[in-house]
Every structure is written in structure tokens, then in C-alpha cells.
Amino acid sequence: MDRRKFMKNSVLTVGSISLPHGLEAIPAGDNSPGNSPQIGKYKIEYIRQDIPHFEVPSYRGARYEETTPDTLDIAERAELCINCLTSATDDQADYEIYDGEFGRNPPVLVAHSINGWCRNCEGMMEGLPLLRVATGSALNDQVDPVWMGTLLKGIGPDGLLYIPLVGTPWSRLQPSWIQPVWRADGTATDTSNESVTQFTAPFLWPRAIAAMTVYYLRDQNPMWTQTIEGMIQRMLQLATNEYDYSFFPAGGYEPNAKLTGPGVCDVMPLGCLAVEHGNGRLIQGLAQYYRVTGYEPAQALAGRLVNFLRGRAHYYDAQGRFLWSYTDINPSPFEGEPFGGSAHSHCIGLLGVLEYAAAVRDQELLEWVRSSYEWARTQGAPLVGYCPEYTVHNWPRCETCPVADLIGIAIKLSTAGVGDYWDDVDRCVRNQFAENQLTETEWVYRMAEDMPKKPVVYSETADRAVERNVGGFGYPGVNQWGTQRASCCTGNSSRALYYIWEHIVQQDKGQLSVNLLLNRASKWADVHSYIPYEGRVDLHIKQSCESVRVRVPEWVESNSPQVACKINGVSRQFNWEGRYVNAGAGREGETLVMTFPIGERTGKEKMGGAHYSVVIRGTTVVSIDPPGKYGAFYQRASYREGKARWKKVKRFAPEQEIRW
Ligand SMILES: [Zn+2]
């Protein structure tokens, strides 16, 4: 890490990773919660001007300083991610999100072609409040009410969420799969037609439902549930009604669109489009809302979309293996190969089906997801969590979105009791997922100097482009970041950060469970993990509980005599429960210390079409050969010292967590 560029402003310092120079909080507009006026020079014409009142409740919890082992800290990574979510934004366009493009001289932030795609569709609006719950961070919190306001301003007279095309010159650059646009008179046009000023498509809806569900869980304002249910009621009018399934016809829709004209329902979005146009993605938003509120229409529609995606869309086979489709990238290089395609599109669809199956406790469907996951995890390199962007063995790029999806699937399968995949999560989080987050800046400028100069155009900015992206996730390779796209996986990955953080330690009916041996603060207990320096985890118990269960790491066998447990320095007898050690009751103020051996081994793996040799300590990769050049991965020699290094950190233990 390049510490020369880091500022010592304590407000912007979290753990041992500080935010780089130039990351002063972005200037606040006049946007007090609830009125959320438009800011910036673009006169964006939203479909609704008057929006209901809302407030942003403060993030309450205990804040304190503490010294912890200097090991992976998800709350610290979450705070960095908040930096990217809120700083890599355009304050002239209601904090529209930018994407980082670093393989250029100078490195730039690029406006997206679809207004709201990144921050809404890929979950930035959903991720931001979740990460604030985990960290208590107020960094750039002037962004939050503006984003919440833009969601509400996008709600049209028919209840759906619309993208404004006036005032956002980049928004007419729509991908072909949102064409044609169906109109209120039943005819079709496209977004190059200037008379189209607002449009929607199903891909916009799930993450909007998710974000508003999180807002509702925070403030209990019925306005959010009314808004969501208004959306769902309109969806029920638009969805087709087939034998046991429903789908939304391909294309975009203007307000009050009529989808009953000739030819409309012939446009069944199949393959990759079945997910990306929105049918597949929508399942998760509906299932999340049903899980939280029990709203039956959400469950019914989600169930019919599951039947469509699983049974009609030609995107998964009977065992859940991923099928190539003509709507994936040009499949010609892989002709003759039936399995493959976009890993993220398949995985995000699968995660939605899992969310639904868990919510309705459909055991058969859960087993299908498990079968699909068991196949999917072998398509990359489970040793480090490398997942190719396209499910092809030699694909040289690891999009973080499917990595984040697979983490979510593994966690949700484990909590649904369908399997125990915590080791998959652990390996992936400590390695590929952690390395795919941008934490350094110096190498990006060094790389840019090796590139030819390219002018910065109107929809781009070179203003602190790299610093504003710190904490973002993109498309790195196996051993380095390199020149790939920098930050457009940040939304999906922000939610995965929350999934991980939430499940490190959990409390249920007096039982405290530690599922992942990672640093974390909570109101029940604080976890100090010495891994991979030492085979040791300390649990500082803050609320008495009937039993404390700690899951042993992958390299320790169940019933191993080498595991030891002490409470306040006194040996404690414990019982084995599968992969967990149950140490019995824990009392407030006690410290439980669990120790076990940890060693190193060398692994050889073919990833992204090349052979690598890795040294693994526990499950943490501590070096890779050949090494990377730009943003080199696994520069972790200090982990091999065998004695934990320590660091001073600011801790936040929230009063209330969100079950997500
Ligand atoms: Zn992505």
C-alpha cells in the first residue's frame, strides 16, 4: 500500500487503511432529508416532481477505539467501499455514479450510458445503507437523501420506476436489449425517438424494491411499502399469464404502456436476456420484499418468474448447469460447448431463485440451487475464489459481480441448512474478493504513464479519478488488477460485503455463533482474528449467552485434539457439533480464546489460461508466482511472520442489524 499519499485526517481514517489525498468529502448541496431538491447543472426532468416526505434515521451504535490483530477487517473494507459509492459520483447530476476506466492516460471516471443503471440496477442504492449499518460511517452522507429522492421522483403515474431521458444527454445510448420501447397506444418505437422522455424496463425494478425495503426496515415509514406495492400491482398488470409461469416481454416500456398489442408477447426474453432484461433479476427483489413483509402478490409473481427462468428460459439445464445462449457474448469461439455464458447473469439469477426458495421453504428448489452452485463453483478456481467473467476455463478476467453472487449463494445455502459452504466463503473473501477491491492508488498512475494520452470527453472526468474509486470493485485478473474496468462491480460487491459482515457472528435465541473467523465488532461479542499470522481467535463477550459456537477453519479436522479453548485463561471443555466447537455459556466481560494449528502449503493452479504457483497460509494466499505488475495481488509477506501485527481501529457495533 502506498502510504505516502494518505492523509491523516481521522474522520476519513478507518482501521489501517486510510483514504487517499483528495478524498475530502464531496461538497454538499442544499438537500436536507425529505425535500431532496435536484442539484447540479443538469436539468433532469423526472416523471414526478412532488415526492412524499422521508427522513434518514441516524445510524446508532457503540463507537470506540480498540487494538485488533492487523488482519482482514470487513467493516474497514465496507467503509472504503462507501468512499467509492459516494465519491465516484457526479455532483452535477444528482450524484449519478461514474465508472472508473484506468487503462487510460489520464485515468478517468466515465458516465454510464443508462441513467441509474449502476447505482440502482447493480445495487448501489441497496448497498449504501447496508454498509452504513455495518460501519456507522457518515462519509459523504449528503448523497443518501438525494439518491432516495431520485428513486421517488422516478415513480410514474402507473406506479413503476422510470428513467428520465431529458436532461441526461448520455441516457439515450441504450443497449439494444432495451429496444423497442412499447407505448401507451400499443405501438413500438425506440429511445432515439425524442418524443420518448421516460421509459422503464424490468431490470430497474428489483434493486429499487430492495433499496426501498432497506429504507423501510430502517424507518418503518409505510410510504416505502405503499410505493413498492404500487410497483408490484402494476407489474401484475404487465406480466404475461401463461400456464404456470409469467414473464415481461422484451423491450422498454413508456408510462401506461400497453403490452397486449400484436407481436408484443412473442418477444420472450430468453437465455442471458431472461435475466438481464429483468425477469430473472426481479425474483430476488420480490422475494426479499415477501420475506420482510409477507406480501402475497410479491411471492406469487416471484414464483411464476422462477418457473419461467428455470423451465422456459433455456439458461440452466435440469441440474442447474449454465447454458450458453445467443444473447451472451458472441459464442462462436466456444462452439460445441453447451455450458458457459456470463457468470454474473447466471449467478444473479440463481441467487434470486435461492432467495425465493428460502423464503417459501421450497426444499426441491433449494436442492436445485445447490446442484447448480456445486457445478458453478468448479468452473473457476475455488482455491482462491477466482471466477471467470464468462464461464470458460481459460477466460482471463475475473468480474467481481459473480464472485459476490457466489459468496451470497454460499452464505444463503448455508443459513438455509442445505449445505455447509462457509469454507468456500472464507477462501474467496480472503483472496480474490479482497484483492478485487481497489485499496491503492499509486500503481494506477504508474500504469497510466505507460499508456498513450487520450482526451477526456464531456461525459468523463479526470478529477481525482483514482482516489474517488478507492474501495470499488472491478474486473481484475489472477495476479493483478491491470487495465480492466475499475469499478462497475461496486454495487453488487457492496451488498456482498454486507452479507459477509452480517454472517461473521450471529445471535439467535441465546446462542452466539461465529461462522467466519474474521475481525468484527457486534453488540453481542467482538471477534479478533489472528488468521493467518497465528491459529487463534479471541471472542470478547459483551452480552451473556447460553452457548457460544465457533466454526473451526477448513484446515482443522472436526474432533481434532489440537483445538483448545480457554475462557479468561482457564481451560474450557467443549463439545464438537459438526464443524463447530460449542464452548457452552459465555458471560458478559469474558474472553474466549480458541487456538488451533496453522501451516503453509504450496498449490499449483491453472487460472485464466495460465499456470500459477501460490503459497497458502491457512486459506490465505500469501504469494503468487508469476507475480503481477500493475496492482499486484497477494503482496502479503508479513502474514508469514508467525506473530500477529496489531493496529488501532475505530469500531462500530450497531444497535440494530438488518437481516439481509
Ligand atoms: Zn460486474
Side-chain angles (χ1 to χ4, degrees):
M1 185 182 310
D2 176 33
R3 288 175 188 272
R4 284 168 300 164
K5 295 197 169 191
F6 289 170
M7 65 196 298
K8 292 190 178 64
N9 182 342
S10 63
V11 177
L12 295 178
T13 305
V14 49
S16 63
I17 300 177
S18 309
L19 301 178
H21 266 308
L23 271 190
E24 296 81 12
I26 50 180
D30 173 19
N31 47 11
S32 52
N35 69 16
S36 182
Q38 184 170 332
I39 58 159
K41 69 183 180 196
Y42 294 106
K43 297 289 169 245
I44 303 172
E45 293 189 11
Y46 295 97
I47 198 163
R48 177 160 74 158
Q49 299 307 316
D50 295 324
I51 58 171
H53 179 79
F54 65 90
E55 307 216 350
V56 186
S58 59
Y59 292 83
R60 289 207 299 269
R63 295 166 199 270
Y64 46 97
E65 278 199 6
E66 181 170 49
T67 306
T68 65
D70 188 2
T71 58
L72 182 61
D73 190 319
I74 298 300
E76 184 178 285
R77 297 308 196 96
E79 181 140 12
L80 283 184
C81 190
I82 289 174
N83 171 64
C84 180
L85 288 174
T86 57
S87 301
T89 53
D90 186 352
D91 62 6
Q92 297 301 307
D94 287 350
Y95 300 118
E96 170 109 15
I97 197 83
Y98 281 120
D99 193 12
E101 210 171 289
F102 290 170
R104 276 179 56 172
N105 184 7
V108 290
L109 298 172
V110 187
H112 247 268
S113 61
I114 305 176
N115 178 8
W117 159 268
C118 222
R119 67 173 125 137
N120 174 21
C121 170
E122 277 296 10
M124 297 195 172
M125 286 183 172
E126 177 188 359
L128 182 59
L130 294 173
L131 295 189
R132 293 205 192 279
V133 167
T135 62
S137 167
L139 180 69
N140 292 326
D141 63 1
Q142 72 278 12
V143 171
D144 305 41
V146 177
W147 279 7
M148 295 164 85
T150 58
L151 264 187
L152 291 170
K153 289 177 191 175
I155 299 296
D158 60 359
L160 288 179
L161 176 70
Y162 286 89
I163 288 183
L165 296 176
V166 176
T168 55
W170 52 89
S171 288
R172 285 187 193 274
L173 308 167
Q174 306 296 343
S176 60
W177 48 267
I178 303 174
Q179 315 291 8
V181 173
W182 300 102
R183 318 202 78 169
D185 63 3
T187 63
T189 182
D190 62 61
T191 51
S192 67
N193 181 338
E194 296 272 323
S195 72
V196 179
T197 58
Q198 308 281 343
F199 90 102
T200 190
F203 73 86
L204 284 166
W205 308 336
R207 265 24 211 290
I209 293 175
M212 289 192 280
T213 304
V214 173
Y215 302 154
Y216 171 70
L217 284 170
R218 297 238 313 121
D219 68 4
Q220 300 291 307
N221 184 343
M223 179 270 291
W224 300 116
T225 52
Q226 285 158 10
T227 305
I228 294 168
E229 288 170 21
M231 288 177 77
I232 294 171
Q233 285 303 320
R234 176 60 178 153
M235 288 175 204
L236 290 168
Q237 292 172 0
L238 286 176
T240 66
N241 209 355
E242 316 295 327
Y243 158 63
D244 69 343
Y245 66 94
S246 294
F247 68 92
F248 294 90
Y253 317 141
E254 276 196 306
N256 299 311
K258 203 164 125 210
L259 295 184
T260 51
V264 179
C265 293
D266 300 344
V267 201
M268 185 191 276
L270 297 176
C272 188
L273 211 51
V275 171
E276 293 304 345
H277 175 257
N279 288 288
R281 285 178 176 268
L282 184 54
I283 295 165
Q284 189 174 19
L286 294 168
Q288 286 164 318
Y289 188 67
Y290 171 70
R291 173 166 56 77
V292 167
T293 64
Y295 185 61
E296 295 283 347
Q299 185 231 317
L301 180 55
R304 296 179 66 81
L305 291 170
V306 167
N307 291 344
F308 169 72
L309 183 67
R310 184 182 170 188
R312 305 278 167 172
H314 305 291
Y315 208 38
Y316 308 88
D317 76 358
Q319 288 125 63
R321 290 176 295 189
F322 301 173
L323 298 174
W324 274 110
S325 75
Y326 70 96
T327 46
D328 274 303
I329 55 158
N330 181 358
S332 58
F334 315 109
E335 249 162 347
E337 172 60 70
F339 303 118
S342 161
H344 177 39
S345 301
H346 283 101
C347 289
I348 195 79
L350 196 63
L351 182 58
V353 175
L354 173 53
E355 188 94 46
Y356 170 80
V360 301
R361 297 188 185 85
D362 182 332
Q363 209 57 38
E364 189 275 333
L365 197 56
L366 285 168
E367 283 299 329
W368 181 78
V369 175
R370 191 180 64 79
S371 163
S372 180
Y373 171 76
E374 292 261 349
W375 176 83
R377 68 206 275 266
T378 63
Q379 300 305 301
L383 188 67
V384 303
Y386 179 87
C387 176
E389 178 189 9
Y390 287 91
T391 311
V392 178
H393 284 287
N394 292 337
W395 194 264
R397 202 162 56 224
C398 176
E399 185 187 359
T400 320
C401 285
V403 175
D405 297 332
L406 288 169
I407 288 171
I409 293 167
I411 288 175
K412 285 175 183 287
L413 282 173
S414 302
T415 55
V418 191
D420 180 331
Y421 297 109
W422 296 113
D423 292 330
D424 287 4
V425 178
D426 175 86
R427 258 180 277 112
C428 185
V429 169
R430 291 180 182 280
N431 299 306
Q432 191 80 41
F433 185 72
E435 292 293 62
N436 275 20
Q437 186 176 29
L438 183 71
T439 57
E440 301 174 23
T441 57
E442 184 269 337
W443 67 265
V444 184
Y445 290 108
R446 188 160 43 84
M447 181 171 75
E449 285 165 11
D450 294 344
M451 305 277 165
K453 278 207 180 315
K454 187 176 171 187
V456 179
V457 302
Y458 86 97
S459 57
E460 302 172 344
T461 177
D463 174 27
R464 296 172 296 124
V466 186
E467 290 76 5
R468 290 159 72 181
N469 249 285
V470 167
F473 292 82
Y475 287 67
V478 177
N479 62 355
Q480 65 168 5
W481 257 80
T483 59
Q484 303 300 339
R485 285 158 71 190
S487 66
C488 68
C489 301
T490 307
N492 208 39
S493 303
S494 66
R495 183 175 67 177
L497 277 169
Y498 188 81
Y499 285 155
I500 300 158
W501 175 87
E502 181 195 351
H503 290 91
I504 292 171
V505 55
Q506 292 198 294
Q507 202 264 18
D508 187 34
K509 299 188 190 87
Q511 183 166 75
L512 191 71
S513 297
V514 182
N515 302 308
L516 296 164
L517 303 182
L518 294 164
N519 285 340
R520 155 124 204 235
S522 79
K523 64 180 172 185
W524 311 293
D526 287 355
V527 186
H528 287 189
S529 174
Y530 295 59
I531 299 171
Y533 293 105
E534 303 173 48
R536 174 174 171 173
V537 173
D538 296 355
L539 209 57
H540 299 282
I541 297 167
K542 294 151 88 174
Q543 271 184 24
S544 298
C545 54
E546 286 162 29
S547 65
V548 183
R549 297 162 78 236
V550 182
R551 194 180 184 286
V552 292
E554 184 173 32
W555 62 91
V556 175
E557 282 179 26
S558 299
N559 304 308
S560 164
Q562 292 180 293
V563 176
C565 229
K566 284 184 177 176
I567 289 198
N568 287 357
V570 180
S571 285
R572 167 71 67 102
Q573 294 298 309
F574 54 84
N575 295 320
W576 284 93
E577 292 175 359
R579 300 293 294 150
Y580 288 80
V581 157
N582 188 334
R587 278 206 302 273
E588 183 186 335
E590 287 181 339
T591 298
L592 180 150
V593 175
M594 190 169 95
T595 53
F596 41 83
I598 189 168
E600 286 185 11
R601 67 193 174 96
T602 303
K604 292 199 187 302
E605 192 87 22
K606 191 178 178 199
M607 295 182 274
H611 292 275
Y612 293 90
S613 169
V614 288
V615 177
I616 301 172
R617 191 174 171 85
T619 49
T620 302
V621 177
V622 290
S623 81
I624 189 164
D625 186 50
K629 182 179 180 192
Y630 295 125
F633 283 2
Y634 306 121
Q635 306 296 298
R636 296 167 166 179
S638 66
Y639 280 156
R640 308 181 72 177
E641 291 165 2
K643 191 96 189 103
R645 293 187 182 190
W646 293 76
K647 62 183 173 184
K648 206 169 208 177
V649 295
K650 288 197 172 75
R651 291 288 223 185
F652 178 71
E655 248 171 49
Q656 210 86 51
E657 297 187 4
I658 287 175
R659 216 188 111 225
W660 207 240

